[in-house]
Amino acid sequence: MRLLLVEDERELAGLLKAGLKAAGFAVDHVATAADAEAALTSGSYDIAVLDLRLPDGDGLDLLRRRRAAGLTLPVLILTARDSLSDRVKGLEQGGDDYVLKPFHIDEVVARLRALLRRPNQALGVNIVIGNLGLNTMDLRVMVADGPLALSRRELGLLELFMRRAGRVLTKEVIEQALYGFNEELESNAVEVLVHRLRRKLAGAGATPSIHTLRGIGYLMDDVP
Amino acid sequence: MTTPPARWSLKRRLAIRLLIVLTMGVLGPSVVMVGAAMWAIDSMDDRALQDQAGDIVRNLDVTVSPPALHLPARLANAYATSGDSYLYAVLDAAGTILAASSPAAETLARVADDMTPGVFFLVTRPNGGQPWYAYMTTAGPYFVAVAQGSLHDDSLADSVMRDLVGFSFITALPLLAVTLLVTFWTLNRAFRQMERVAGEVRAITPGGAEARLSSEGLPSEIAPLVAAVNDALFRLGRAYEVEKRFTTDAAHELRTPVAVLTARIDTLPPGPTRDSLAADAARLSRLVSQMLDVARLDAAPLPMNAHVDLVAIVREAVAALAPLALRDRRTMEMRAPDTPVMVEGHEGALRLAVTNLVENAMLHTPRGTPIDIEVTPQPAIRVLDRGPGVAETERASIFERFQRSPSATSSGTGLGLAIVAEIAARHGAQAAVSGRPGGGGIFEIRWPDAT
């Protein structure tokens, strides 16, 4: 995986580069918006990590420009927390993910892997969490090398959980993702579906578990 | 200091004053003209009497005794046929009538006897009716009194006055109406422009000091005010920019070293030293973030004009923190109505307040203890924990900056609850802490009942 790292702070860039390399990425580092634009235009990267504040320009402007010119590769944004501005909100609503500074390198790596799982090409991808694997192309689920049969809805829910592992899915998000706009929906449909999926995963001996946060949502993680 | 609202409007004042001025402008000349006309009528009567007396005097031969009156036929005829409308009498100093137009002249002579020559006077008719208007003059040693029925009587003056006043009002009323219309139209146009500018002013939000008011279409009297406001906005905008610039610069400059530190600690081999360094770095990072949040809150008032749903905001903020709670082996539950709970406010600030409330609970209660969050229809956000709670003596000061409970763990910054209180206050709400039945604390942001 070729990764473009755009970060002007030299020490942070050095540490990030080392951490990302250790995680298996081939990292190229640039420190200015101009160099970043040139590198992105070359089109030889699979993913990019972009600091928003660059000495010669704003990272978000650069990204918007390249997006308008047809850039499709996933971009993870590094940003300082600014709770009172709507900037982070804007990022959340956009397709790309963001990480707040300061961050743990593990978190950056996890987010990058999640971004790479997104089906932005017609290629099948394998998402693996613990001993649970899902191929998003042929929708096969493997638990510790054994196949697990799931219904269409259960598969949809599992994919949703695995793409956003470690983060909370609210009931509304699940309803919108799995059920049609006009579909009649029992008020406890999501609860019932989650309960079934959880039972099947546990029955097959999967290590990741689905946590219920009452009134908030559900979360899948693989914390032993 | 506030000035009480004006109890009059410019339009009302103008209407009342214009009404007074125009009424005076119409009535004044009318009164003068009627007065002049009445004077003219009166003096016409006087002159006629004097002329009448003059005729008699001219035709009175005083060289003979008794004097002889030789009236021309025309005059004699006129007196004879006037039906006592015109009278004359010639008297001597003793009051004896020497000549008279008719027997009725005796009445005239009787009254005239008491008069001094050169005066005008009224003579009551013996059989009632309108009195004669009379005059007496001298002719040599004799006296000549003349009288006539008031031809130009008050009814004439009344009719002249009625006509004049009526005519004045017929012309004045349309004039008054047109004047008021033109005035109101002019004022309305000017006020519409002012209302537009007022709208522009109302649309200015905090941090939106780059807005300028347009003076287009404004009367030149108001334009300087708009220009002055624009100048003030420009200065405020510049100050705000400098302040904002500083906080963003500071945010970047402070976070970068913390980010480097955090990343460097991540490269250390796992162990208790790395864990405690990571905890220190996390606390430093939180302190920096919260200092910047405080600076941002202090730097400018927040735009509070959005209608926001507390349920959605709280759920989003709690969902972002839930993974941390799970990592600490806590249960977290949120209770909220199925319908939105709307308040006026700033979404980002409210999310920050909720984040700080929940982080506060996670920092100050033991791992594994539950944290519950409630949103109620009467707008309130409540975070309930099963930690040590807050002693009653500390409850008042816990929301002040850097006021940390003596029993608090070392991981807090002393800023989180101050941020909560500040944001609550900005929303007209109140931050408070109370004890939870069964142990623990309840931290809440409560909106007043009136909302």
Side-chain angles (χ1 to χ4, degrees):
Chain A
M1 282 293 173
R2 285 182 66 84
L3 180 146
L4 179 68
L5 171 63
V6 186
E7 168 62 67
D8 65 319
E9 171 60 35
R10 219 165 41 82
E11 284 203 64
L12 192 58
L15 289 161
L16 254 177
K17 195 172 169 179
L20 293 173
K21 272 184 172 161
F25 291 96
V27 182
D28 284 346
H29 168 231
V30 294
T32 63
D35 289 351
E37 186 142 22
L40 286 172
T41 312
S42 78
S44 47
Y45 296 97
D46 301 302
I47 194 162
V49 175
L50 176 66
D51 183 18
L52 284 190
R53 205 183 148 102
L54 297 168
D56 58 341
D58 182 63
L60 215 53
D61 289 344
L62 163 70
L63 184 60
R64 218 173 283 128
R65 249 191 339 270
R66 293 318 307 159
R67 284 282 191 238
L71 182 79
T72 55
L73 70 99
V75 176
L76 178 69
I77 285 168
L78 302 180
T79 178
R81 175 168 100 157
D82 189 354
S83 324
L84 294 176
S85 93
D86 292 331
R87 201 174 163 93
V88 168
K89 187 81 185 159
L91 290 178
E92 282 172 329
Q93 285 161 352
D96 290 301
D97 205 355
Y98 67 99
V99 169
L100 294 174
K101 280 185 182 181
F103 44 76
H104 289 285
I105 290 178
D106 294 351
E107 178 72 6
V108 175
V109 170
R111 295 295 179 91
L112 286 171
R113 293 214 166 114
L115 279 177
L116 285 167
R117 278 181 218 135
R118 288 191 183 173
N120 57 338
Q121 279 112 37
L123 295 170
V125 280
N126 279 304
I127 309 176
V128 178
I129 297 172
N131 67 355
L132 178 65
L134 169 70
N135 184 300
T136 59
M137 191 65 186
D138 58 15
L139 295 179
R140 269 190 319 174
V141 181
M142 303 291 285
V143 178
D145 298 332
L148 173 64
L150 294 177
S151 74
R152 187 178 57 84
R153 280 255 158 77
E154 289 161 357
L155 269 172
L157 182 61
L158 181 66
E159 183 175 349
L160 211 54
F161 272 130
M162 292 184 78
R163 285 191 189 285
R164 307 199 42 184
R167 282 192 265 176
V168 172
L169 288 174
T170 62
K171 193 174 141 189
E172 289 75 33
V173 167
I174 295 173
E175 280 174 0
Q176 277 163 25
L178 296 188
Y179 298 92
F181 188 67
N182 293 321
E183 216 160 331
E184 281 293 322
L185 201 54
E186 295 287 328
S187 64
N188 64 345
V190 170
E191 281 92 330
V192 171
L193 185 64
V194 169
H195 179 73
R196 275 210 312 267
L197 179 62
R198 183 188 278 139
R199 214 179 43 207
K200 285 193 182 177
L201 289 177
T207 54
S209 49
I210 299 171
H211 303 270
T212 301
L213 294 142
R214 287 181 59 197
I216 305 166
Y218 304 93
L219 172 150
M220 173 182 271
D221 67 9
D222 189 37
V223 179
Chain B
M1 195 188 85
T2 53
T3 43
R7 258 182 255 137
W8 53 273
S9 86
L10 196 53
K11 280 185 200 167
R12 211 174 75 193
R13 280 204 167 178
L14 267 175
I16 291 171
R17 287 171 188 192
L18 276 173
L19 204 64
I20 293 170
V21 166
L22 282 170
T23 307
M24 280 164 58
V26 168
L27 280 184
S30 301
V31 167
V32 169
M33 278 156 75
V34 167
M38 286 174 74
W39 179 80
I41 290 165
D42 279 357
S43 66
M44 210 154 67
D45 288 342
D46 292 357
R47 271 201 311 277
L49 276 176
Q50 281 170 335
D51 288 351
Q52 201 183 333
D55 281 342
I56 304 294
V57 170
R58 248 192 323 279
N59 294 302
L60 188 67
D61 184 0
V62 295
T63 55
V64 293
S65 185
L69 182 63
H70 307 289
L71 279 182
R74 181 182 56 83
L75 269 177
N77 192 39
Y79 277 110
T81 58
S82 72
D84 290 339
S85 280
Y86 291 92
L87 302 174
Y88 67 84
V90 179
L91 313 172
D92 61 12
T96 317
I97 298 170
L98 302 176
S101 54
S102 66
E106 262 181 71
T107 318
L108 167 67
R110 227 173 18 253
V111 176
D113 197 31
D114 299 332
M115 296 293 160
T116 17
V119 301
F120 297 91
F121 53 93
L122 288 172
V123 177
T124 315
R125 285 178 197 251
N127 52 349
Q130 210 173 21
W132 286 290
Y133 192 44
Y135 175 69
M136 186 166 73
T137 185
T138 56
Y142 307 105
F143 300 92
V144 173
V146 290
Q148 52 174 268
S150 266
L151 272 184
H152 308 109
D153 58 10
D154 286 349
S155 70
L156 180 63
D158 283 351
S159 111
V160 168
M161 193 160 82
R162 238 191 342 263
D163 285 354
L164 265 172
V165 171
F167 185 66
S168 299
F169 271 105
I170 286 167
T171 47
L173 280 177
L175 181 69
L176 182 66
V178 167
T179 307
L180 286 178
L181 276 177
V182 168
T183 308
F184 282 3
W185 179 70
T186 309
L187 284 177
N188 269 332
R189 279 177 64 92
F191 288 152
R192 257 209 305 280
Q193 294 302 323
M194 285 173 68
E195 189 47 48
R196 175 184 58 75
V197 173
E200 286 177 18
V201 174
R202 276 193 293 272
I204 296 175
T205 51
E210 70 275 10
R212 294 290 177 272
L213 309 179
S214 113
S215 58
E216 198 187 330
L218 278 183
S220 58
E221 290 86 345
I222 309 290
L225 176 63
V226 169
V229 170
N230 277 339
D231 277 353
L233 282 173
F234 175 74
R235 289 194 297 273
L236 284 174
R238 211 168 40 185
Y240 178 73
E241 270 311 306
V242 168
E243 185 77 49
K244 204 169 86 180
R245 189 64 185 260
F246 177 77
T247 45
T248 17
D249 285 351
H252 184 74
E253 295 309 322
L254 285 166
R255 277 188 187 110
T256 302
V258 178
V260 171
L261 178 65
T262 307
R264 208 184 289 290
I265 291 168
D266 281 350
T267 65
L268 295 175
T273 313
R274 188 177 100 156
D275 289 350
S276 55
L277 281 177
D280 292 345
R283 186 179 164 207
L284 186 59
S285 163
R286 202 161 47 240
L287 181 62
V288 165
S289 286
Q290 291 180 336
M291 295 274 279
L292 291 168
D293 289 337
V294 168
R296 281 285 309 273
L297 282 174
D298 284 351
L302 294 167
M304 307 291 294
N305 43 11
H307 291 278
V308 295
D309 175 16
L310 286 185
V311 176
I313 290 173
V314 172
R315 184 167 285 133
E316 188 188 333
V318 169
L321 290 168
L324 292 177
L326 284 178
R327 198 192 54 198
D328 287 351
R329 309 217 173 273
R330 297 176 188 275
T331 58
M332 201 178 241
E333 179 178 344
M334 175 169 160
R335 291 182 286 272
D338 291 331
T339 48
V341 176
M342 303 303 292
V343 296
E344 289 249 310
H346 186 275
E347 184 176 341
L350 287 170
R351 199 184 310 123
L352 179 62
V354 177
T355 302
N356 274 297
L357 272 183
V358 177
E359 276 179 351
N360 178 70
M362 294 202 295
L363 283 171
H364 298 296
T365 62
R367 289 173 164 236
T369 58
I371 295 174
D372 293 342
I373 297 98
E374 285 178 2
V375 176
T376 51
Q378 163 62 43
I381 301 167
R382 243 173 245 126
V383 175
L384 306 94
D385 65 47
R386 287 291 181 198
V390 179
E392 234 160 291
T393 49
E394 294 166 12
R395 285 180 189 169
S397 62
I398 197 166
F399 289 99
E400 289 167 27
R401 285 177 192 176
F402 300 114
Q403 286 296 315
R404 298 175 49 216
S405 149
S407 53
T409 53
S410 64
S411 45
T413 62
L415 280 175
L417 291 178
I419 292 171
V420 171
E422 176 72 26
I423 292 172
R426 298 279 177 96
H427 284 80
Q430 208 189 357
V433 60
S434 53
R436 185 179 183 185
I442 301 176
F443 290 80
E444 71 176 330
I445 302 174
R446 192 177 46 224
W447 273 255
D449 289 350
T451 41

